Amino acid sequence: MHVLATAGHVDHGKSTLVRALTGMEPDRYAEERRRGLTLDLGFVWTRLEPAGEHLAFVDVPGHERFVATMLAGAGPVPAVLFVVAADQGWQPQSQEHLAILDALGVRHAVLAVTRADLADPGPVRADAVERLAATSLGKVPSVAVSAVTGAGLDDLRAELARLAAALPVPDAEADVRLWLDRAFTVRGHGTVVTGTLGAGTLRVGDRLVTGDGDVLRVRGLQTLHEERTEAGAVARVAVNVHGPAAGRLGRGQALLTPDRWLTTGTADVRVAGEPVGDLPRSVTLHIGTAAVPVTVRPLGEDTARLTLHRELPLRIGDRAVLREPGGSRIPCGVTVLDVRPPRLDRRGAGRARAAELAGMTGRPDGAAELRRRGLVRARDLLAMGAPLPAGPVAGDWLADDTRWKDLGDRLAAEVARHARAHPLEPGLPAEAARRLLGLPDRALVDALVRAAPRLRDRQGRLYDTGATGPALPPAVRAAVDAVRGDLERTPFRAPEADRLTRLGLTRKPLAAAVAAGALLRIADGIVLLPGADTEAAAVLRRLPQPFTLSEARQALDTTRRVAVPLLEYLDAQGHTERVDDQRRRCRPGRGSGGGRESNPPARDPRTPRF
């Protein structure tokens, strides 16, 4: 199916022409037929020859009071049948409708010069072709017709068939954004909405969401009054929806693929057709079938920030129209540049933003968006309409290379600064690191630590394992030296808790000594010298294998208080393994230096560093 909108001045015969082409009545209301004046959108269709494809028309009103309705009809469609009457020629609404089509960037059209039986169509035809050629429509085919005599109708059908064949093929896999032009209730079925599906595919059973996040389910689907299980773009569709929000649907709202769209109340745009500084502060933004009041803040020569009175699902590259309701200004077009723009709170932020916007094209560019933002979720970038330029660094977070390197450098600096400021608690808490770097997710801190060769996370605190910072405070260093003296005589007889307390090695000083590599924590209250784990493994390797706890305790010349946690530590480090409930053995292939050392023995504990 292909869908076209009509366009042109009031009483130039748009409805009469599509009635003659389709044999269907586009005016749905008796008042419209009585007055001969289209008041609302009409929908009719015909079958094109020779391909046999359907061509649907969205017939729009031409009166100046219904320009907003015309925009709702023309906004979602890719092509137009532009109508000018031979006996009246170019008129004000002809010009306004053309300006709207140009603002929307419509590129496909056929010109029909109607009432060719009442006046010579030649001059009007030449004038209209020239006017259309100066816009986004370019040079269009034209046909002189009479809906009364039927003259030219076959030629017009042929031109429409050629137009339909030349239209770009929509992406059937695209995310759905169905702008609604009607919503009504059908007895026994509930709410039915209609619209022009410009991209994507709808299926019975699909879940859709509104811009407010309300979830709806597709219970039924029709195109051109025929029941379907699915409908692909481009198509006129009637969708029977079910959900708590179904009764609140109406023209101007959109049904969306879940989790694939961002709604926004602020957008930065490029304006065409009028200097930004000449725009009124308050205008109406028309996109799809929506008409939303906005406040305009000029930024650059052709860029502005729009603050919307209600949020809309927008994407980078969207084309829309700004129009002053009831005013005499020609509508101007806008291209959406950014749907998640930064705040402009600081002095000079507006000028800086204008300079940034000047370099934006309005074409979705994932790499450029990532450079500007530094960090962005993959799903948000896709919802903005931009492709993913790279894989995530953590979860679904993407990071610009330069920003990521800068964050890594800043994290290392913050870890070192914290260690200098807190020698008894040198590890920077990971959550504090997140706040210091202004990161939105703790997972990003974890990823930065994994990427840094010297940073380590131990129980939620970050340490620089290769730093050469200041030594431990003198009192702590003296206590460590005393413990060293005890352990040099009996390396596996860990000091008792009261001995540590008398030396001043309470919780914080002891944790600092362990973090600095001066002591090795085996378990709570059990500390040995660095390297004691590999030394113990070497002693146990000389025992007949497997061995019992008692045999290990005797070989290590220690107590059960130390032997039990030490063997469990050696199990965890991969030096030993259990054979059964009573015995262990040294793991094969592990030498005296083969274990994973939490504190390398090469570091001299008398001058600990961290």
Side-chain angles (χ1 to χ4, degrees):
M1 183 194 306
H2 302 281
V3 183
L4 276 68
T6 62
H9 192 75
V10 62
D11 200 31
H12 275 206
K14 297 186 294 298
S15 299
T16 302
L17 181 57
V18 295
R19 189 182 300 118
L21 288 169
T22 66
M24 301 176 68
E25 176 57 66
D27 290 334
R28 295 181 289 116
Y29 302 117
E31 177 69 8
E32 293 178 301
R33 294 190 289 274
R34 185 184 67 79
R35 297 173 59 182
L37 177 68
T38 299
L39 305 175
D40 204 352
L41 302 178
F43 312 102
V44 292
W45 59 90
T46 187
R47 190 178 291 275
L48 295 172
E49 299 297 339
E53 293 184 285
H54 280 104
L55 180 65
F57 294 92
V58 180
D59 188 35
V60 308
H63 197 283
E64 62 180 342
R65 287 184 298 167
F66 304 116
V67 172
T69 304
M70 178 271 175
L71 275 156
V77 302
V80 66
L81 173 61
F82 204 100
V83 177
V84 183
D87 61 335
Q88 293 189 24
W90 199 259
Q91 296 292 320
Q93 253 38 65
S94 306
Q95 186 60 41
E96 184 165 16
H97 283 201
L98 180 59
I100 288 169
L101 296 172
D102 186 36
L104 290 171
V106 178
R107 298 183 178 276
H108 306 277
V110 170
L111 170 65
V113 179
T114 57
R115 300 180 186 173
D117 56 319
L118 299 180
D120 178 10
V124 171
R125 183 176 183 174
D127 177 56
V129 166
E130 183 178 355
R131 291 175 185 269
L132 268 61
T135 69
S136 63
L137 295 173
K139 188 173 182 180
V140 303
S142 60
V143 181
V145 298
S146 170
V148 175
T149 67
L153 287 179
D154 287 341
D155 291 339
L156 179 56
R157 289 189 181 95
E159 288 295 349
L160 290 172
R162 282 190 283 272
L163 171 67
L167 290 176
V169 178
D171 182 3
E173 301 302 318
D175 303 324
V176 168
R177 177 176 57 177
L178 178 65
W179 293 104
L180 307 183
D181 48 43
R182 291 181 67 203
F184 50 92
T185 301
V186 176
R187 184 183 297 273
H189 294 276
T191 301
V192 175
V193 296
T194 67
T196 300
L197 181 64
T201 301
L202 283 174
R203 298 176 179 86
V204 173
D206 279 355
R207 287 190 316 111
L208 300 172
V209 296
T210 67
D212 295 328
D214 296 313
V215 180
L216 300 164
R217 184 174 60 86
V218 177
R219 293 207 305 187
L221 193 59
Q222 285 188 0
T223 62
L224 310 184
H225 290 177
E226 293 182 0
E227 295 286 340
R228 300 289 183 87
T229 58
E230 70 174 51
V234 171
R236 284 292 305 170
V237 295
V239 189
N240 181 201
V241 292
H242 175 70
R248 299 193 295 271
L249 296 176
R251 179 177 293 174
Q253 292 177 281
L255 297 183
L256 312 167
T257 300
D259 303 321
R260 300 294 289 182
W261 292 89
L262 293 175
T263 58
T264 182
T266 307
D268 286 348
V269 301
R270 175 160 285 113
V271 181
E274 185 170 354
V276 173
D278 293 342
L279 285 174
R281 178 171 173 78
S282 297
V283 293
T284 299
L285 175 73
H286 297 266
I287 181 169
T289 61
V292 177
V294 299
T295 302
V296 180
R297 175 179 176 175
L299 293 174
E301 292 183 1
D302 64 347
T303 55
R305 173 157 295 183
L306 305 181
T307 302
L308 287 64
H309 287 210
R310 72 174 173 91
E311 292 192 343
L312 289 176
L314 302 181
R315 280 187 171 175
I316 298 167
D318 277 343
R319 295 291 296 266
V321 173
L322 290 181
R323 181 174 179 269
E324 184 181 17
S328 59
R329 297 173 181 271
I330 296 295
C332 59
V334 298
T335 300
V336 176
L337 302 178
D338 194 344
V339 296
R340 282 290 187 268
R343 297 172 62 90
L344 302 178
D345 296 331
R346 298 188 301 275
R347 183 185 298 275
R351 289 191 299 274
R353 181 60 174 166
E356 187 175 36
L357 292 174
M360 296 188 188
T361 64
R363 292 187 297 273
D365 184 338
E369 286 299 319
L370 186 55
R371 282 195 301 273
R372 278 192 291 272
R373 299 175 189 279
L375 289 170
V376 65
R377 288 188 183 275
R379 62 176 178 268
D380 288 346
L381 195 60
L382 289 171
M384 294 175 196
L388 301 184
V393 294
D396 72 338
W397 285 101
L398 307 179
D400 173 63
D401 289 344
T402 301
R403 175 71 181 281
W404 193 242
K405 182 180 182 304
D406 176 65
L407 286 170
D409 293 343
R410 288 175 55 197
L411 179 60
E414 290 294 347
V415 169
R417 183 196 63 78
H418 183 89
R420 290 191 298 271
H422 305 277
L424 295 183
E425 293 184 298
L428 174 64
E431 178 59 23
R434 184 194 67 79
R435 293 194 298 268
L436 287 168
L437 298 181
L439 295 176
D441 193 332
R442 163 69 185 276
L444 292 166
V445 177
D446 297 338
L448 286 169
V449 172
R450 289 193 298 270
R454 300 198 327 182
L455 295 183
R456 293 292 182 271
D457 184 336
R458 291 201 289 269
Q459 298 181 333
R461 287 181 172 269
L462 310 183
Y463 300 88
D464 186 343
T465 60
T468 56
L472 290 168
V476 178
R477 185 175 60 213
V480 168
D481 287 343
V483 171
R484 178 183 177 83
D486 294 343
L487 293 173
E488 281 179 344
R489 293 186 295 272
T490 52
F492 305 114
R493 287 185 175 268
E496 296 285 346
D498 59 351
R499 167 68 171 160
L500 294 175
T501 301
R502 287 196 303 273
L503 292 172
L505 289 176
T506 53
R507 184 180 63 84
K508 284 189 177 181
L510 188 61
V514 170
L519 294 174
L520 173 64
R521 188 197 303 272
I522 300 300
D524 286 344
I526 307 294
V527 292
L528 301 174
L529 291 180
D533 51 347
T534 54
E535 293 176 19
V539 171
L540 296 175
R541 196 171 296 279
R542 294 193 289 270
L543 290 175
Q545 306 292 311
F547 53 85
T548 64
L549 170 62
S550 177
E551 291 168 339
R553 180 183 61 76
Q554 293 177 32
L556 296 172
D557 186 22
T558 187
T559 63
R560 182 181 178 86
R561 179 182 72 89
V562 177
V564 170
L566 177 56
L567 288 175
E568 291 175 350
Y569 185 86
L570 294 177
D571 289 346
Q573 295 296 305
H575 291 289
T576 58
E577 61 186 2
R578 281 189 174 275
V579 175
D580 52 36
D581 289 345
Q582 302 296 324
R583 297 175 299 167
R584 283 180 172 84
R585 65 184 175 192
C586 292
R587 295 186 65 184
R590 301 300 297 267
S592 62
R596 292 180 295 157
E597 299 173 25
S598 58
N599 304 98
R603 179 180 291 152
D604 187 346
R606 290 172 298 181
T607 55
R609 302 285 180 175
F610 55 90

